[in-house]
Amino acid sequence: MLTSVGTKTRDKTSASAKNGSIKLVTGNSNPALAQAISSYLDLPMTKAVVRRFADMEIFVEIQENVRGSDVFVVQSTSYPANDHLMELLIIIDALRRASARRITAVIPYFGYARQDRKVGSRSPISAKLVANLITHAGADRVMTLDLHAGQIQGFFDIPTDNLYASPVMVKDIRDRFQLENVMVVSPDVGGVVRARGLAKRINAPLSIIDKRRERAGESEVMNVIGDVSGYTCVLVDDIVDSGGTLVNAADALLANGAKDVYAYITHGVLSGGAVARITASKLKELVITDSIEPTEAVRNAPNIRSLPIATLIGEAIDRTASEESVSSLFD
């Protein structure tokens, strides 16, 4: 469980004494999250310009001295994914050429993680390509949150910390539900490990949705494995994109006697008509983190709520800078 975050008395002088000065830099993907991390660490954002020329070519200028500094670049590769990825690469390159001592790419949402294997003949493994780009741009370390597949850590030839949003979700679930009536549900077989981990934290039973995906973005629920009758079901996953899987899963669970259905998803991609689909669905509530900056439609949706993760990421940054254990955050 994440117990120390938010209660720890911060001592920046000790961390700085061990590693030299600490700097925070951000691109345009999620400035609100970067500012919240800055506030938690009591560390001002490093002045930098990330802008575009008339032809949309990206230009970066670091406007403070970072020579010898331990620099953390906060940048999700969310929509528009390619623009934000290029911003990250160019910021890293600018910092490397400015003689930063260590550069850590803090990527709350790693956007190409779903392309982690060949799905057919002559198809790419884009997650590995992006890992190579980040490494060769000059990053010394990567920090991310709830990778779609844990083995993506092995795509990087530099140290990689995969943080987990489960402590934040567990706290919220404990505060809002009577746990004896909760059942955790994995929306597919591939997410069973993630769902089981959260179920163990709250001592809740586990159910699984057996589905068949006909094509990308569409799924057909086939069966509910487990007796969900009378339970408040909590669907757990890492990414919600089109929302089709969640909507179908909620319908199947309610058809099998579930009392209510909630969903706790780390990354709210919510592309296309996903927000309207979720709003019109039988989901009681979709809870996401702010790893991706929410759109106005997401903010105004009556049954979508966002959990802040700045404290979790800020604590991981502080521990990395002071050479303390990051994994102990999740013990």
Side-chain angles (χ1 to χ4, degrees):
M1 286 290 294
L2 181 60
T3 56
S4 61
V5 171
T7 61
K8 178 179 176 181
T9 301
R10 312 210 59 75
D11 182 3
K12 294 297 174 300
T13 56
S14 63
S16 296
K18 181 178 287 187
N19 291 286
S21 63
I22 303 170
K23 302 283 188 180
L24 279 180
V25 179
T26 186
N28 294 314
S29 70
N30 200 337
L33 175 59
Q35 189 57 56
I37 293 170
S38 169
S39 297
Y40 174 75
L41 291 171
D42 193 22
L43 188 67
M45 297 298 303
T46 298
K47 293 178 182 178
V49 172
V50 183
R51 60 181 176 85
R52 282 155 177 75
F53 293 123
D55 64 352
M56 301 307 291
E57 189 175 298
I58 296 167
F59 173 77
V60 171
E61 182 181 12
I62 309 299
Q63 297 181 320
E64 293 182 23
N65 178 26
V66 296
R67 185 180 296 271
S69 296
D70 195 359
V71 186
F72 295 84
V73 184
V74 182
Q75 177 82 340
S76 284
T77 54
S78 51
Y79 177 85
N82 297 331
D83 282 7
H84 288 154
L85 175 59
M86 279 303 299
E87 283 186 10
L88 174 63
L89 298 175
I90 295 172
I91 291 170
I92 292 171
D93 183 72
L95 291 168
R96 179 173 61 87
R97 296 177 188 278
S99 300
R101 182 180 60 84
R102 181 172 68 174
I103 303 168
T104 301
V106 181
I107 312 172
Y109 171 63
F110 186 73
Y112 276 87
R114 285 175 285 181
Q115 299 185 53
D116 63 329
R117 64 195 184 280
K118 286 176 68 72
V119 296
S121 300
R122 297 169 295 282
S123 61
I125 304 180
S126 302
K128 172 58 176 170
L129 171 62
V130 172
N132 289 344
L133 290 171
I134 292 169
T135 302
H136 288 291
D140 299 292
R141 189 178 197 96
V142 168
M143 183 183 296
T144 187
L145 179 71
D146 274 343
L147 280 171
H148 183 62
Q151 63 265 25
I152 293 174
Q153 294 171 86
F155 290 1
F156 290 91
D157 295 324
I158 53 178
T160 303
D161 292 312
N162 182 27
L163 309 180
Y164 302 100
S166 55
V168 178
M169 293 180 176
V170 165
K171 183 180 184 305
D172 192 76
I173 292 170
R174 288 183 182 277
D175 290 344
R176 290 177 175 268
F177 298 100
Q178 293 183 342
L179 297 184
E180 61 270 17
N181 298 325
V182 169
M183 176 173 285
V184 175
V185 181
S186 173
D188 53 39
V189 175
V192 169
V193 173
R194 180 181 293 104
R196 183 184 293 120
L198 190 141
K200 287 178 65 176
R201 285 174 177 266
I202 62 173
N203 194 28
L206 176 68
S207 183
I208 304 167
I209 300 291
D210 173 34
K211 72 176 185 182
R212 178 179 300 162
R213 186 179 296 275
E214 301 294 341
R215 59 186 64 87
E218 297 183 15
S219 63
E220 178 186 354
V221 173
M222 301 300 291
N223 194 22
V224 177
I225 303 172
D227 183 7
V228 300
S229 180
Y231 281 99
T232 296
C233 290
V234 176
L235 287 156
V236 177
D237 210 350
D238 62 320
I239 296 173
V240 52
D241 190 349
S242 67
T245 294
L246 287 186
V247 170
N248 289 346
D251 290 343
L253 291 167
L254 291 169
N256 279 265
K259 182 180 178 183
D260 291 305
V261 181
Y262 295 76
Y264 278 73
I265 313 294
T266 305
H267 307 297
V269 176
L270 296 172
S271 59
V275 174
R277 192 173 292 114
I278 295 296
T279 301
S281 75
K282 296 177 182 178
L283 267 176
K284 197 80 170 181
E285 187 177 47
L286 167 63
V287 182
I288 56 177
T289 76
D290 57 356
S291 63
I292 297 173
E293 188 170 40
T295 62
E296 184 177 354
V298 171
R299 290 193 295 269
N300 293 333
N303 62 341
I304 301 178
R305 179 165 57 90
S306 181
L307 292 176
I309 54 167
T311 299
L312 172 66
I313 294 178
E315 185 66 20
I317 287 174
D318 184 53
R319 292 186 179 205
T320 299
S322 58
E323 306 294 350
E324 298 177 17
S325 171
V326 173
S327 62
S328 62
L329 278 170
F330 310 101
D331 291 341

